[in-house]
């Protein structure tokens, strides 16, 4: 049996929807686990790479400096990087703020909300907190991305097909209905 | 004026019998009276036509020449296409701006004069040109701009300034002769003609015979796509309906093209005959000419010629003026516009030959196509197909402009080579040729043996020559700007994709583009080309794609190589700068 391929996954500025969609492959997970092992990933709770990976799967774009550092570390530790889902590819829902000035956006979220306590308002800011970027950046604007899997979230079928293609080196086409979202 | 507006609009709607298809005419009339179409005017018009204001605005705001804010009693539209830029448009613009105390796109409140940019107005062989209240002013210089601006400021009407070159200048263009129609070479189409002969011969033939004659001639459409004319006619003829229509596409919007202007100015009867012959062939009694707004100065002439034509013949023709939109040259967008709507192309099928104007079978042909039909009927198809190549028979008109000593209109047979062209037009230091406008092909002047014909280099008739002193990237940039401005917006790949292509060209010009950007842009080119509804999106990548073929070094010399490790040089400091700034004053960011 060939050695197992190593996979890392991460959710940056995403909603974890894409990771949930990975879980949607259900019983096929048993097949998958025969072919691969997971290293750094929310699925394993491994927080830093302990091995070089064959494949890195990225959910979400970059909204803060920590996202950028994480993404770069994925690039350095994986042979192939895959942008999974709309947020990673285009910025997705978070990118709705790209047209809004950062300060206006934070004011609206932290100062002007009805739940803010008068006299005790502040925009969170601490050396331990990541710094918010001026806008959301899709992953390929920061590092080289080798493959893009579209969808919001991509369905389990297309994730399964793409993954097995990547692992086995085959290139089975993905039927059009799986790629059409409107 | 305010009390006048409601009654004006009421009368207008009665005059046009409340026909929504004439919306463009109504909007023109309103703008001519009130200088722009105000919100109030929209409200009144919508009420009188019994449509929603938003539907009306939908059409109104689509067209470049309709203004929704005070736009000046006098409106100056400067041609800012790339050829005009090469001819010194910047100096003309600066002179106007200085003299009027405004910048392009603004209105001088003191004098009620507006200054606007517009793409090619069909005068590239005598530019830089501008339209002032839709009258053409050619061969502009900074001096002349100052002169004209001063006269306009004094309240002298643009009409009076036609032909005046300036106070000190002794030379004066012949009155009303701003536009010259330089014919450099005549052949089958432009050679001496017997008026009425083509139509007379056609009347003696059966419709089938007429179509068969055109089939033998091998005539293909002159508007750009080159569809066999006889086939279009036959398909239309075979569609059963109570009414059929003949429509002439006189939108001539492809930058660098001006040959239809010549035909409309000098040979209108030939065009009318061609439309009537088509009418006989397909069983239509009615024709419409869709004339681009930029050519409305031709309207009085055309109307006179039409009156004479109508006295002799039964075939009825009317002229509809557009309102500034390149995409309205696309045949189905043209139909939408004719029906008083936004010029958004329709989904095909059904094709216009099945369901066109008002849902009836319709033939749409280019001005030159109709004129050629008249000549083929007059002289017989054999004489026509003697010339040209296997798949592109006959001769056609070419609009030649750019860095050449002999600009103007040439009638050449298909198959003419680049080398022949460059010699005949007396090109100086030629570097490149744009064949068929921005949507066509950019080739190197070294590609001497290439031929103009549907088999090799297809063209709607425009050929622009660029000399070695021109910046090709600037040309590509201007062409991409054109598509960004002219996309109707209904296909996302065309609406948003062209913006990305333009950004890439700008990055390349600023020496900031990386190798990966080109790769990415090529992928977008493919998507835009393959998924756009109409010819605009399907060809808008051509400035980049064809330049990449003929001048690869233009791209590869300036691209910055990508970092090997796949980590792009992302400017994190810049990206977090805004955030840091928020807490500069105090840590709560308040
Ligand atoms: C964006 C766009 C603009 C066009 N502009 C013109 C035009 O200005 N004049 C024209 O005759 N055809 C134009 N065409 C081509 C027309 O759609 C149509 O093919 C032509 O009018 C048919 O006439 P023909 O068969 O005589 O060439 C344009 C096409 C596209 C896609
Ligand atoms: S391709 Fe562009 S111009 Fe043509 S219909 Fe689509 S959006 Fe409009
Ligand atoms: S988190 Fe997956 S698409 Fe948004």
């Amino acid at each position: 049996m060939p050695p197992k391929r190593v996979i890392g996954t991460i959710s940056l500025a995403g909603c974890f929807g894409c990771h949930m969609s990975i879980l949607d492959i259900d019983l096929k997970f048993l097949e998958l686990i025969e072919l691969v092992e997971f290293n750094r990933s929310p699925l394993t709770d491994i927080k830093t790479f302990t091995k070089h990976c064959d494949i890195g799967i990225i959910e979400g774009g970059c909204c803060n400096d920590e996202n950028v550092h994480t993404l770069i570390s994925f690039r350095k530790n994986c042979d192939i990087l895959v942008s999974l889902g709309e947020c990673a590819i285009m910025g997705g829902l978070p990118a709705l703020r790209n047209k809004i000035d950062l300060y206006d956006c934070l004011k609206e979220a932290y100062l002007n909300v009805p739940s803010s306590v008068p006299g005790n308002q502040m925009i969170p800011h601490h050396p331990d907190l990541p710094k918010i970027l001026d806008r959301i950046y899709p992953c390929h604007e920061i590092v080289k991305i080798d493959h893009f899997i579209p969808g919001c979230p991509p369905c389990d079928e297309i994730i399964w097909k793409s993954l097995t293609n990547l692992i086995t080196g085959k290139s089975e086409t993905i039927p059009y209905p799986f790629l059409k979202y409107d | 004026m305010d009390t006048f507006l409601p009654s004006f609009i009421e009368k207008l709607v009665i005059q046009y019998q409340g026909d929504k298809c004439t919306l463009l005419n109504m909007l023109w009339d309103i703008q001519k009276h009130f200088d722009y179409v105000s919100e109030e005017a929209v409200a009144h018009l919508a009420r009188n036509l019994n449509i929603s204001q938003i539907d009306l605005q939908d059409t109104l705001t689509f067209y470049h020449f309709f203004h929704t804010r005070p736009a000046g009693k006098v409106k100056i539209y400067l041609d800012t296409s790339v050829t005009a830029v090469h001819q010194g448009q910047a100096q003309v613009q600066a002179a106007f701006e200085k003299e009027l105390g405004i910048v392009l796109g603004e209105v001088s409140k003191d004098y009620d004069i507006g200054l606007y940019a517009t793409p090619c107005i069909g005068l590239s062989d005598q530019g830089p040109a501008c339209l002032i209240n839709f009258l053409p002013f050619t061969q502009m210089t900074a001096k002349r701009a100052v002169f004209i601006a001063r006269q306009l400021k004094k309240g002298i009407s643009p009409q009076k300034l036609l032909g005046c070159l300036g106070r000190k200048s002794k030379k004066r263009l012949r009155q009303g002769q701003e536009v010259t129609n330089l014919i450099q070479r005549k052949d089958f189409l432009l050679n001496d003609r017997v008026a009425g002969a083509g139509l007379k011969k056609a009347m003696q033939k059966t419709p089938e015979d007429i179509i068969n004659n055109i089939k033998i001639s091998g005539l293909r459409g002159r508007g750009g796509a080159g569809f066999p004319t006889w086939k279009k006619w036959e398909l239309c003829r075979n569609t059963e309906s109570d009414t059929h229509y003949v429509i002439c596409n006189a939108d001539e919007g492809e930058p660098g093209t001006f040959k239809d202007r010549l035909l409309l100015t000098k040979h209108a009867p030939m065009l009318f005959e061609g439309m009537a012959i088509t009418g006989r062939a397909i069983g239509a009694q009615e024709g419409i000419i869709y004339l681009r707004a930029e050519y409305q100065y031709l309207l009085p002439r055309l109307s006179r010629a039409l009156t004479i034509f109508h006295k002799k013949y039964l075939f009825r023709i009317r002229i509809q003026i557009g309102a500034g939109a390149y995409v309205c040259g696309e045949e189905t967008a043209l139909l939408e516009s004719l029906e008083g709507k936004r010029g958004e192309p329709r989904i095909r099928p059904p094709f216009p030959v099945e369901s066109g104007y008002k849902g009836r079978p319709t033939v749409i042909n280019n001005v030159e196509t109709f004129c050629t039909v008249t000549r083929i009927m007059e002289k017989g198809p054999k004489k026509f197909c003697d010339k040209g190549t296997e798949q592109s028979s006959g001769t056609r008109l070419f609009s030649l402009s750019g860095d050449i000593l002999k600009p103007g209109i040439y009638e050449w047979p298909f198959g003419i080579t680049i080398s022949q062209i460059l010699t005949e037009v007396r090109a100086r230091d030629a570097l490149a040729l744009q064949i068929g406008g921005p949507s066509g092909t950019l080739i190197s002047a070294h590609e001497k043996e290439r031929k103009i014909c549907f088999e090799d280099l297809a063209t709607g008739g425009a050929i622009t020559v660029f000399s070695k002193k021109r910046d090709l990237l600037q040309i590509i940039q201007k062409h991409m700007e054109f598509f960004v401005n002219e996309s109707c917006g209904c296909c996302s790949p065309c609406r948003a994709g062209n913006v990305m292509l333009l950004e890439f060209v700008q990055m390349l010009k600023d020496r900031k583009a990386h190798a990966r950007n080109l790769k990415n842009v090529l992928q977008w080119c493919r998507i835009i080309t393959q998924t756009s509804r109409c010819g605009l999106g399907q060809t808008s990548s051509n400035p980049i794609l064809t330049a990449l073929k003929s001048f690869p070094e233009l791209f590869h010399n300036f691209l910055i190589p990508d970092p090997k490790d796949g980590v792009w040089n992302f400017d994190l400091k810049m990206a977090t700068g805004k955030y840091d700034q928020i807490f500069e004053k105090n840590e709560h960011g308040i």
Side-chain angles (χ1 to χ4, degrees), chain A residues 65 68-69 72 75 101-103 106 121-125 130-134 137 140-144, chain B residues 516 519-520 524 565-572 574-576 578-580 582-583 586-590:
Chain A
D65 61 345
V68 174
H69 295 309
I72 291 175
R75 179 70 272 175
D101 175 70
L102 180 62
Y103 188 47
L106 292 172
Q121 288 148 309
M122 63 177 294
I123 296 171
H125 179 238
K131 289 181 181 182
I132 309 292
L133 305 184
D134 56 343
Y137 291 84
H140 65 268
E141 285 189 19
I142 292 171
V143 299
K144 177 174 190 243
Chain B
R516 60 177 182 274
K519 225 171 115 188
N520 189 252
W524 278 116
D565 59 359
V567 179
W568 309 147
N569 11 30
F570 182 67
D571 191 349
L572 190 58
M574 188 275 298
T576 53
K578 265 210 174 129
Y579 182 77
D580 287 336
I582 294 172
F583 304 100
N586 75 60
E587 59 166 339
H588 290 176
I590 301 174

Side-chain angles (χ1 to χ4, degrees), chain B residues 71-83:
Chain B
K73 184 136 217 82
V74 175
K75 300 179 186 72
I76 305 174
Y77 297 98
L78 276 184
D79 172 5
T80 54
S81 60
V82 73
T83 316

Side-chain angles (χ1 to χ4, degrees), chain B residues 136-154:
Chain B
F137 287 79
T138 61
Q139 299 176 50
M140 292 293 294
T141 57
K143 253 197 189 149
R144 191 172 183 213
V146 171
F147 171 76
I148 288 179
R150 287 193 181 150
Q151 302 297 310
L152 291 173
K153 285 202 292 196
K154 282 190 216 153

